[in-house]
Amino acid sequence: MTGPASPRAATVPAGTPAAAAVSLRDVHREFRRPRTSLRHDPAVVHAVRGVSLDIAAGERVGIVGESGSGKTTLLRLLCGLDTPTSGEVYVQGRPVHDQPARRLRWLRRELQLVFQDPMGSLDPRMRVGQIVAEPLVAQRIGSRAERRARVTELLERVGLPAEAADRYPHQFSGGQRQRISIARALAPRPHVLVGDEPVSALDVSVRAQVLNLVDEVVDGYGLTLVLVSHDLSVVRHVCDRVAVMRQGELVEVAPTEQLYRDPQHPYTRELLASVPHLADALGSHPPDMERSQPDE
């Protein structure tokens, strides 16, 4: 399928790695609280403080941190949904930070999002086929026949039957709805896939299935993955590298297994120590099942 050529944007400045699919340069985002006094300036919240990060094409990077650490704000800046107070954001070598929304049409094709709550991100009045095809319609990609074929292909790719296209989101389980969200994100053939807590709203029993699907489509389509999560076990399952955020700053960036094996920053060690383990919950030794058997 083909679509209209995107307008050419300014090229990335010297010093930014040409191979970087995503590049953040000293990004800050400040929010002013409502004024409460005529005598004092309103307080300023520093949501993101001087974040610099390069993500290579095909890399999988997890951004972790507790609630309020700034990771969702950083994600909004990366996706062009917010504008940094200062700093630069590039996707596929093209600037995002200084562009008005009308000039970011190309970004909606290069980068796609999978949201936390699948039911909240799917229009309940639209059939699944319309939902998956929506990015194609918005981007004017392909003919009607080509869009229908693409929808069928994607539904099968995420493990749903072709007849699912004629049903509504409420007729599916939470895990199936997230599969629909992934299919929609893949529709315009993006190069960067962004997940905002994509499995936190799902039952534990289906989280692994959806994570395995993310793993498969990222490999199969050669995507760059940026995954935001507060769950370190989720990031460890699918990411090559982890960036740890605290109070709006990146405090540690390291390959996943190295970070788990030898965390350098005290906050990273606190995060890892807070991950619950079944053995800890049961005590240092598993229960003696033989003692629980009735005497014969």
Side-chain angles (χ1 to χ4, degrees):
M1 289 182 288
T2 60
S6 300
R8 194 70 181 167
T11 57
V12 67
T16 300
V22 174
S23 185
L24 305 168
R25 286 283 178 268
D26 193 26
V27 174
H28 294 256
R29 183 64 171 104
E30 300 172 354
F31 296 95
R32 292 190 177 274
R33 293 185 182 276
R35 182 184 288 273
T36 58
S37 170
L38 295 177
R39 301 178 59 186
H40 303 285
D41 291 333
V44 176
V45 177
H46 300 276
V48 176
R49 303 169 182 251
V51 170
S52 295
L53 180 67
D54 290 321
I55 301 175
E59 190 177 14
R60 305 168 175 209
V61 173
I63 301 175
V64 301
E66 62 190 342
S67 296
S69 63
K71 56 187 187 295
T72 297
T73 300
L74 186 65
L75 196 71
R76 288 176 55 82
L77 297 172
L78 168 63
C79 297
L81 301 176
D82 194 8
T83 304
T85 305
S86 63
E88 300 172 343
V89 181
Y90 299 92
V91 174
Q92 295 293 104
R94 300 173 68 175
V96 175
H97 57 279
D98 59 354
Q99 302 296 310
R102 68 179 183 275
R103 297 192 62 185
L104 289 177
R105 190 180 185 91
W106 63 270
L107 183 64
R108 310 308 172 206
R109 187 166 182 173
E110 292 287 339
L111 180 150
Q112 282 287 311
L113 267 161
V114 178
F115 295 95
Q116 177 176 357
D117 179 11
M119 193 58 187
S121 65
L122 302 178
D123 191 333
R125 298 167 298 179
M126 295 175 69
R127 297 182 188 272
V128 167
Q130 296 172 300
I131 290 171
V132 176
E134 191 173 18
L136 304 177
V137 175
Q139 294 285 341
R140 300 175 184 174
I141 300 172
S143 64
R144 288 187 179 181
E146 289 172 326
R147 292 169 190 164
R148 284 195 297 268
R150 180 67 172 157
V151 168
T152 300
E153 172 195 342
L154 288 170
L155 289 177
E156 292 176 352
R157 185 67 184 83
V158 299
L160 294 174
E163 54 267 26
D166 296 323
R167 297 162 63 186
Y168 290 93
H170 72 271
Q171 297 176 287
F172 296 87
S173 67
Q176 290 172 324
R177 287 195 288 264
Q178 198 62 298
R179 290 173 183 267
I180 295 167
S181 296
I182 293 170
R184 177 179 61 184
L186 295 173
R189 304 182 190 274
H191 290 98
V192 180
L193 183 66
V194 177
D196 183 13
E197 303 271 11
V199 297
S200 64
L202 303 180
D203 294 337
V204 174
S205 59
V206 299
R207 285 187 183 183
Q209 298 173 23
V210 174
L211 284 176
N212 287 337
L213 175 61
V214 171
D215 190 49
E216 291 170 8
V217 299
V218 168
D219 269 349
Y221 291 103
L223 304 176
T224 302
L225 176 67
V226 182
L227 182 68
V228 168
S229 180
H230 68 275
D231 190 334
L232 291 169
S233 62
V234 168
V235 170
R236 188 175 192 179
H237 186 79
V238 296
C239 293
D240 307 318
R241 194 158 54 112
V242 181
V244 182
M245 288 195 72
R246 179 175 185 265
Q247 296 180 355
E249 298 179 319
L250 282 185
V251 297
E252 185 168 357
V253 181
T256 304
E257 290 307 317
Q258 177 182 323
L259 183 134
Y260 273 81
R261 185 177 61 253
D262 185 24
Q264 298 298 304
H265 195 277
Y267 178 69
T268 306
R269 291 195 286 268
E270 289 178 15
L271 281 181
L272 291 173
S274 68
V275 177
H277 298 280
L278 183 60
D280 295 337
L282 295 175
S284 58
H285 300 286
D288 188 347
M289 300 302 294
E290 292 185 356
R291 292 183 193 171
S292 65
Q293 298 295 327
D295 294 333
E296 295 182 0

